[in-house]
């Protein structure tokens, strides 16, 4: 297997990724970006695709979709995706960050994409949902992380029938189903995101709900009925079982993205509770994991809404040097930058508006920003934040019904890493409403050289 171009020049003899987060920050600037594009929830009955975006300002095709890798089936709901190898495999020169694992969140189909040609990836393999359900009794693949031993681990939110709690799927290096990761899921009522920190022998996972609950759309009655999560779970990484669970209560409803510090020696990390619009910080100061609320974003009264509108924290990430935390408020419409030099006391240092329901209209290159900022991806050097605005097609259609007609945007936000601050780049705008077959939704983003939400150090 040939190496891709993601090795830093001082480490070409090693495997994929970088020797440390600080080495990653010195890497060559990203030149292409991948995102998924999907027609789910629109009037267009076509398969989704992987869109390759030129993000090199020196390129004649800068700020354009330069390639589309089509999937074979309609209705996948392409969502989160990840790499076959990352910095966790850096010590193994036989491994390479070459294949993208692109699940269908609704179909449970898993696509393997070969990025040997970084500007024109091609479909390599498809794992059908029937095989996954037969061999593991799992469905609804979400977060993808590569492991240091060459396996790929995927959080699964449902069983074969779409009920909770789901579990964790393992693929081997040839993308065959290797079984389930967990030895026991006792104590986990729901599943969603996960992040592991091997030096601490820990994995953290969060909770959304059962596919049968969230796929049709959001119903507030489901929250009152206890059908959405409110806990995070700390797992023994070696024994593969939960050792501690923390109930975040009514202030921690629907905890989604979990992020450890990139520094593999650190025990600090964060989770954003979407519905409660709170950020929680965890640490292990005295041998036990402690979790405390780090900040809350108050709801806002909006005309026509039957209840005060929560900000809805839907994504967050940390810069490679663990200095800044970024989060998106999908309903309010803003992205925030916090200085987390003191991990338990985030300080707001930047804010930018990208749509939302609060009526703060913004335009980029003459385009009014529809929907609200959702998925985030940060450049390795921490200076550029990329943003898309689709959450889940059924939820999009509830809260931002125009998105099915206008399609998504992809923005670049410039980040001041010295003094703090955010500013939308006025020269970069991907209009997914103008795709050849019609408007599409865009979700998670990745670069060939790795990024702030997929690389883990061991």
């Amino acid at each position: 297997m040939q190496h891709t171009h993601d090795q830093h020049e001082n480490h070409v003899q090693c495997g994929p990724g970088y020797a440390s987060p600080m080495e990653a920050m010195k890497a060559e600037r990203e030149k292409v970006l991948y995102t998924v594009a999907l027609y789910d929830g629109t009037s267009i009955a076509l398969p989704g695709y992987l869109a390759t975006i030129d993000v090199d300002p020196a390129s004649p095709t800068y700020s354009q979709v330069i390639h589309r890798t089509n999937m074979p089936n309609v209705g996948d709901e392409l969502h989160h995706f990840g790499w076959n190898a990352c910095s966790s495999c850096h010590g193994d020169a036989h491994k390479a960050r070459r294949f993208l694992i692109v699940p269908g969140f609704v179909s449970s189909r898993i696509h393997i994409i070969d990025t040997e040609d970084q500007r024109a990836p091609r479909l390599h393999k498809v794992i059908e949902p029937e095989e996954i359900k037969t061999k593991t009794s799992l469905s609804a693949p979400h977060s993808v992380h590569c492991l240091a031993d060459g396996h790929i681990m995927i959080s699964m939110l449902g069983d074969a029938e779409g009920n909770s709690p789901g579990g964790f799927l393992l693929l081997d290096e040839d993308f065959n189903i290797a079984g389930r990761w967990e030895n026991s899921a006792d104590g986990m009522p729901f599943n969603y995101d996960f992040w592991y920190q091997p030096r601490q022998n820990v994995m953290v996972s969060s909770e959304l709900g059962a596919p049968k609950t969230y796929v049709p759309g959001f119903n507030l009655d489901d929250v009152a009925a206890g059908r959405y999560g409110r806990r995070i779970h700390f797992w023994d990484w070696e024994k593969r079982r939960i050792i501690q669970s923390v109930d975040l209560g009514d202030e921690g409803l629907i905890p989604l993205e979990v992020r450890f510090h990139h520094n593999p020696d650190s025990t600090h990390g964060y989770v954003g509770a979407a519905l409660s619009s709170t950020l929680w910080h965890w640490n292990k100061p005295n041998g036990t994991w402690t979790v405390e609320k780090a900040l809350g974003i108050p709801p806002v009264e909006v005309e026509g809404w039957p209840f005060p509108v929560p900000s809805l924290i839907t994504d967050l990430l940390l810069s490679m040097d663990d200095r800044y935390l970024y989060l998106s408020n999908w309903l309010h419409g803003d992205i925030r930058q916090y200085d987390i030099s003191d991990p338990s006391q985030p300080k707001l240092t930047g804010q930018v508006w990208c749509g939302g329901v609060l009526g703060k209209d913004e335009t980029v290159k003459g385009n009014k920003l529809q929907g609200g900022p959702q998925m985030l991806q940060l450049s390795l050097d921490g200076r550029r934040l990329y943003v898309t605005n689709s959450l889940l097609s059924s939820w999009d259609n509830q809260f931002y019904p125009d998105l099915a007609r206008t399609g998504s945007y992809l923005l670049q936000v410039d980040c001041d890493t010295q003094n703090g601050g955010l500013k939308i780049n006025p020269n970069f705008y991907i209009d997914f409403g103008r795709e050849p077959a019609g408007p599409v939704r865009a979700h998670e983003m990745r670069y060939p050289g790795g990024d702030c939400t997929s690389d883990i150090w061991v």
Side-chain angles (χ1 to χ4, degrees), residues 16 38 112 121-122 124 226 245 272 274 289 311 320 332 407 412 423 447:
L38 51 145
I112 313 299
R122 62 180 180 85
H124 173 73
S245 295
W289 294 98
S311 74
M320 279 292 180
H332 284 186
Q412 182 192 307
K423 184 181 180 182
Y447 321 116

Side-chain angles (χ1 to χ4, degrees), residues 164-239:
S164 60
F168 298 90
L169 175 72
L170 287 176
L171 303 179
D172 67 19
E173 292 185 71
D174 296 318
F175 314 114
N176 299 309
I177 296 172
R180 294 173 73 141
W181 173 83
E182 74 279 9
N183 286 325
S184 170
D186 289 350
M188 183 182 77
F190 306 108
N191 199 12
Y192 184 68
D193 193 26
F194 72 102
W195 192 287
Y196 64 95
Q197 199 81 319
R199 293 188 194 179
Q200 311 302 329
N201 188 36
V202 71
M203 180 181 86
V204 177
S205 68
S206 59
E207 298 186 339
L208 175 59
K212 283 184 175 179
T213 300
Y214 62 76
V215 168
F218 179 72
N219 186 335
L220 200 56
D221 292 340
D222 287 332
V223 178
R227 298 190 186 103
Y228 280 102
R230 51 191 281 172
R231 298 171 183 84
I232 60 171
H233 306 283
F234 295 90
W235 299 69
D236 185 306
W237 181 240
E238 293 179 356
K239 294 181 179 177

